Amino acid sequence: MSNLSKFEFVALDISGSNYLPWVLDAKGLGDTIKEGNEASSQDKAKFMIFLHHHLDEGLKSEYLTLKDPFQLWTGLKEGYDYLKATVLPRARREWMHLRLQEYKIICEYNSAVYRIIAQLKLCGEPMNDEDMLEKTLSTFHALNMVLQQQYREKGFKKYSELILCLLVAEQHNVLLMKNH
């Protein structure tokens, strides 16, 4: 608790639009946000000051009277935890409809994959490399069926290895087209 300066993060917006990533950042602050914590009153006060610094002005005034970090944490959770119920179905739908063939370049696809994966993880649904590999390989365009089979036969174990291979192939294709 003594080194709070290393925990700099964006303030929680009153709309809650950044609640899920904010919670992940704030959870690293320690035991003062746990029920029945035995932190000293000085540590609790430091935490409250720090946490209030990372709240929107409207939220500061709403939670101004709270003195216990756990009460503040619980109040924020009650007020914004519903976001998981709205983000999760949207992220699942995006994952289900994600297709490699719909992206012009691999970087755009890769960014979309990691954005959706982050949302799923924030809602408690972890994805692994196997899921990401299967999603990518199964959504190749039908005209690239042979290419997809060749990538499957390479036996990638990590998503990053497949994406690296696809990025290199993409750059080689761009170069060939320029030389042609």
Side-chain angles (χ1 to χ4, degrees):
M1 180 56 72
S2 60
N3 194 2
L4 288 176
S5 62
K6 68 180 180 181
F7 291 108
E8 283 300 320
F9 51 94
V10 178
L12 176 60
D13 188 82
I14 196 162
S15 70
S17 61
N18 65 337
Y19 174 71
L20 294 174
W22 184 87
V23 165
L24 287 180
D25 289 340
K27 274 189 177 178
L29 292 172
D31 294 332
T32 57
I33 57 173
K34 293 181 181 169
E35 188 171 15
N37 68 68
E38 296 181 16
S40 69
S41 57
Q42 186 179 14
D43 279 348
K44 286 181 180 181
K46 283 181 189 177
F47 179 79
M48 288 298 286
I49 291 167
F50 183 79
L51 202 53
H52 273 279
H53 179 70
H54 292 90
L55 293 176
D56 183 87
E57 291 301 318
L59 289 171
K60 285 180 188 177
S61 61
E62 185 177 337
Y63 293 102
L64 187 62
T65 59
L66 296 180
K67 302 294 183 211
D68 184 69
F70 178 71
Q71 288 177 335
L72 175 60
W73 190 258
T74 304
L76 291 170
K77 183 174 172 46
E78 288 171 0
Y80 291 108
D81 218 30
Y82 75 91
L83 291 171
K84 287 183 181 178
T86 60
V87 171
L88 183 58
R90 184 172 9 106
R92 282 180 181 158
R93 183 181 184 286
E94 286 181 28
W95 180 254
M96 189 171 63
H97 294 288
L98 182 68
R99 304 282 180 265
L100 176 64
Q101 66 186 12
E102 294 177 1
Y103 293 86
K104 291 183 180 181
I105 59 175
I106 299 298
C107 285
E108 289 176 359
Y109 171 79
N110 194 38
S111 293
V113 166
Y114 279 113
R115 180 184 52 77
I116 295 167
I117 294 289
Q119 290 175 346
L120 289 168
K121 283 182 180 178
L122 285 171
C123 294
E125 269 199 27
M127 297 294 255
N128 57 33
D129 279 319
E130 190 177 296
D131 297 327
M132 296 161 67
L133 283 166
E134 185 56 35
K135 172 54 88 172
T136 303
L137 293 171
S138 67
T139 61
F140 268 63
H141 194 279
L143 296 174
N144 294 329
M145 195 60 66
V146 172
L147 191 59
Q148 180 242 38
Q149 289 171 350
Q150 289 173 341
Y151 283 119
R152 279 194 190 276
E153 287 174 8
K154 286 192 175 209
F156 293 106
K157 298 291 183 211
K158 291 185 176 183
Y159 172 76
S160 58
E161 294 170 349
L162 172 62
I163 288 300
L164 178 63
C165 192
L166 291 172
L167 285 167
V168 169
E170 181 180 66
Q171 291 305 310
H172 286 254
N173 289 343
V174 168
L175 187 59
L176 284 172
M177 293 304 288
K178 284 182 180 179
N179 289 338
H180 183 65

